[in-house]
Amino acid sequence: MKRLLLLLLVLSLLFSCQKGDGKNDDRHLVLRYADNQPEYFPTTKAARYFAELVYARTDGKIDIRVYGNGELGGEVQCLQQIQFGGLDFARFSLGTLSAYYPKLNVLMLPYLYTDSDHMWRVLDGKIGDDFLSQVEEIGVFGLCWFDAGARSFYTRMPISSLEDMKGLLIRVQENDILSSMVSSLGADTVQIPYGDVYSALQMGKVDGAENNMPSYFYTGHFEPARYFFVDEHFRLPEMVVMSRAARNEIMELGPEYLEIVRECARESGLYERKLWKEEEQKAFAQLESLGVVFTFPSNEEQERIRRAMEVVYDDFTGENALLIDKIRSQ
Ligand code: GCU
């Protein structure tokens, strides 16, 4: 009798183990990724590339569906959704993310980087890595950085100097630090979600906005605002993040899956960077042929703008001042 009971116990243990393994093998995650840029924009293309890599390297166990065009909401809504687990991945401009995690402000100060290579030395190094892990403090996991070039002003009327900015109403992202940066030039600012900027420009509710060239081109903002003043006042890199809920689900599949996701995200970051360079040049050529008027400030004018915006640095003291020095010396 004892033997029989022992045999039954062993058999039932074996059976339950097999059942457990079987269940694990069948596990399959479908996760959602949001981007507010259109289908053929570098960031959205890179998101699809990320999804394809993950699918292939996990043998289809992690299936990431990419929703571009702001289909799942504007950046602010997506950030809130991702914090509460309603969304799994998203790409955010630091202009949005830093409103929720102000330590990031330091990375978007006016004229902080001498050029794009300088910014990449910072983001590819320890400073960039530290920020990717620190955003965990607001409940998201930083995966990689995307390029978003330098931002400049574009307006419904020609501008060519600092004086021309005075009294203009300029749209900025939903972030007070960006309002104060732009007001340091004497302009008035209004915070409007990205998806509503075209109509605000078209209806004359604002005199202008500021963004990188590919965004200006893809959104059609050049139609109502055809004067582009290439002052390149700041660079707002972008971060791809993952929700805590998605991270936990992936961990349940196994820690090796989390590593695959991280590695594919890093590769998609490099891919986006390459696409970005190409797209910046293409956008410039296309905009020129469409009659956009580009004004390149002289070195002196650029220097006056830089000095006017320097007041923003006064708020960055203590630890931040040290970090600014570190960034500048990279
Ligand atoms: C860039 C960025 C967007 C952001 C937009 C904005 O285009 O890629 O993610 O929403 O700037 O100005 O709001």
Side-chain angles (χ1 to χ4, degrees), residues 36-37 75 91 93 151 171 173 194 211 215 238:
N36 69 350
Q37 297 287 13
E75 286 200 326
R91 187 265 324 151
S93 162
R151 294 173 74 109
R171 174 272 171 172
Q173 285 170 271
Y194 190 45
N211 213 321
S215 297
E238 312 194 326

Side-chain angles (χ1 to χ4, degrees), residues 30-75:
V30 177
L31 303 171
R32 296 189 310 158
Y33 182 126
D35 193 303
N36 69 350
Q37 297 287 13
E39 200 60 29
Y40 296 104
F41 202 78
T43 58
T44 328
K45 278 194 186 167
R48 293 204 188 287
Y49 180 71
F50 168 57
E52 280 161 23
L53 290 181
V54 171
Y55 193 82
R57 291 187 197 166
T58 61
D59 292 325
K61 276 187 185 294
I62 305 182
D63 182 358
I64 300 173
R65 310 265 162 96
V66 177
Y67 298 83
N69 253 319
E71 221 184 298
L72 299 183
E75 286 200 326

Side-chain angles (χ1 to χ4, degrees), residues 139-162:
V140 297
F141 293 85
L143 293 176
C144 68
W145 297 99
F146 275 10
D147 203 349
R151 294 173 74 109
S152 291
F153 291 103
Y154 47 90
T155 44
R156 288 159 48 87
M157 55 290 285
I159 53 169
S160 57
S161 69
L162 181 57

Side-chain angles (χ1 to χ4, degrees), residues 10-306:
V10 169
L11 280 177
S12 80
L13 270 177
L14 264 178
F15 181 66
S16 68
C17 283
Q18 261 174 8
K19 225 170 83 183
D21 284 342
K23 189 175 151 221
N24 266 347
D25 281 343
D26 290 348
R27 285 215 58 180
H28 166 97
L29 292 178
V30 177
L31 303 171
R32 296 189 310 158
Y33 182 126
D35 193 303
N36 69 350
Q37 297 287 13
E39 200 60 29
Y40 296 104
F41 202 78
T43 58
T44 328
K45 278 194 186 167
R48 293 204 188 287
Y49 180 71
F50 168 57
E52 280 161 23
L53 290 181
V54 171
Y55 193 82
R57 291 187 197 166
T58 61
D59 292 325
K61 276 187 185 294
I62 305 182
D63 182 358
I64 300 173
R65 310 265 162 96
V66 177
Y67 298 83
N69 253 319
E71 221 184 298
L72 299 183
E75 286 200 326
V76 169
Q77 286 127 313
C78 285
L79 186 52
Q80 289 162 355
Q81 286 185 58
I82 214 162
Q83 281 182 308
F84 294 106
L87 176 65
D88 306 300
F89 298 92
R91 187 265 324 151
F92 295 111
S93 162
L94 280 204
T96 302
L97 203 55
S98 72
Y100 292 77
Y101 191 66
K103 285 186 192 162
L104 286 166
N105 285 339
V106 73
L107 291 181
M108 43 183 226
L109 286 165
Y111 300 105
L112 176 66
Y113 312 102
T114 45
D115 53 23
S116 157
D117 289 346
H118 179 196
M119 182 189 80
W120 283 115
R121 283 197 296 279
V122 174
L123 299 181
D124 284 339
K126 179 163 173 4
I127 298 176
D129 285 351
D130 286 351
F131 275 112
L132 286 179
S133 24
Q134 281 169 22
V135 290
E136 193 179 337
E137 286 171 32
I138 55 160
V140 297
F141 293 85
L143 293 176
C144 68
W145 297 99
F146 275 10
D147 203 349
R151 294 173 74 109
S152 291
F153 291 103
Y154 47 90
T155 44
R156 288 159 48 87
M157 55 290 285
I159 53 169
S160 57
S161 69
L162 181 57
E163 282 65 36
D164 292 342
M165 292 295 296
K166 301 232 165 1
L168 291 188
L169 184 58
I170 302 292
R171 174 272 171 172
V172 292
Q173 285 170 271
E174 294 149 280
N175 186 337
D176 293 343
I177 183 110
L178 296 178
S179 298
S180 63
M181 287 188 201
V182 172
S183 359
S184 66
L185 298 176
D188 294 322
T189 60
V190 53
Q191 300 181 4
I192 300 181
Y194 190 45
D196 298 335
V197 183
Y198 184 93
S199 62
L201 284 166
Q202 196 188 33
M203 291 161 74
K205 286 191 179 162
V206 293
D207 298 310
E210 51 82 53
N211 213 321
N212 52 58
M213 236 180 257
S215 297
Y216 173 63
F217 174 64
Y218 272 85
T219 50
H221 291 179
F222 65 91
E223 292 161 2
R226 57 187 206 96
Y227 299 95
F228 196 98
F229 185 55
V230 198
D231 69 311
E232 304 199 328
H233 46 269
F234 42 63
R235 289 175 184 272
L236 306 185
E238 312 194 326
M239 198 190 277
V240 176
V241 306
M242 169 173 63
S243 74
R244 193 188 294 278
R247 183 183 179 276
N248 292 346
E249 280 186 287
I250 295 170
M251 275 300 275
E252 271 176 36
L253 284 183
E256 67 279 19
Y257 287 92
L258 193 61
E259 203 28 61
I260 294 177
V261 168
R262 287 192 184 285
E263 165 193 290
C264 297
R266 279 193 295 270
E267 286 178 38
S268 75
L270 296 178
Y271 179 64
E272 192 271 351
R273 225 184 277 188
K274 180 178 152 282
L275 294 181
W276 186 265
K277 287 254 166 310
E278 295 164 8
E279 202 56 56
E280 260 183 339
Q281 287 173 3
K282 264 200 257 161
F284 178 62
Q286 272 162 318
L287 288 162
E288 246 191 342
S289 72
L290 288 162
V292 166
V293 181
F294 286 99
T295 303
F296 291 86
S298 64
N299 288 345
E300 294 98 77
E301 197 54 41
Q302 186 87 44
E303 184 52 21
R304 292 177 69 226
I305 297 174
R306 194 191 63 74

